[in-house]
Amino acid sequence: QVQLVESGGGLVQAGGSLRLSCAASGRTFSMYAMGWFRQAPGKEREFVSQLSWSGGGSTFYTNSVKGRFTISRDNAKNTAYLQMNSLKPEDTAVYYCVADTGSSRDWDSWGQGTQVTVSS
């Protein structure tokens, strides 16, 4: 079992940057795959990014954010991050941190979400 708490959301102008944080509980954080999803009002939740392992772990980004967003983690702080640069109004959404602890095939832990609003 793991609890996730996102922070760092807010209002930013188009072209600006924002860094989201995800603080996780758990005894084996370094063994979890971590990721980010987002959901805008009236739209389905969509995958944004994932990081499988600390250090030599692989990363993946959805095409709409590739080259602008960077996922990372600090195992000593039990925290995952999403650095968002060159933000666009279409990036506006609630962003959710997710974890895969190995208890199931799919993502098994979700944070409460943090709002990101990008103005033009």
Side-chain angles (χ1 to χ4, degrees):
Q1 302 181 46
V2 61
Q3 283 71 52
L4 306 173
V5 180
E6 302 98 330
S7 62
L11 176 64
V12 64
Q13 289 184 294
S17 298
L18 208 59
R19 183 180 176 89
L20 305 183
S21 298
C22 174
S25 66
R27 301 174 181 176
T28 55
F29 176 79
S30 63
M31 304 300 294
Y32 305 159
M34 302 296 296
W36 293 89
F37 283 73
R38 67 185 181 185
Q39 185 171 30
K43 297 183 179 180
E44 294 184 350
R45 186 164 52 202
E46 67 171 337
F47 171 81
V48 176
S49 181
Q50 71 176 30
L51 188 156
S52 58
W53 298 90
S54 179
S58 61
T59 61
F60 180 81
Y61 302 90
T62 191
N63 287 337
S64 63
V65 308
K66 190 173 296 183
R68 300 188 298 119
F69 290 12
T70 303
I71 188 171
S72 63
R73 66 195 297 163
D74 186 338
N75 290 336
K77 297 181 178 180
N78 275 21
T79 302
Y81 304 94
L82 185 68
Q83 177 67 46
M84 305 183 293
N85 298 327
S86 301
L87 283 163
K88 306 174 181 179
E90 50 263 46
D91 294 319
T92 295
V94 176
Y95 283 71
Y96 297 91
C97 178
V98 296
D100 180 358
T101 66
S103 63
S104 69
R105 178 177 174 83
D106 299 322
W107 300 102
D108 54 70
S109 300
W110 293 76
Q112 84 288 349
T114 185
Q115 177 71 48
V116 171
T117 303
V118 184
S119 61
S120 59

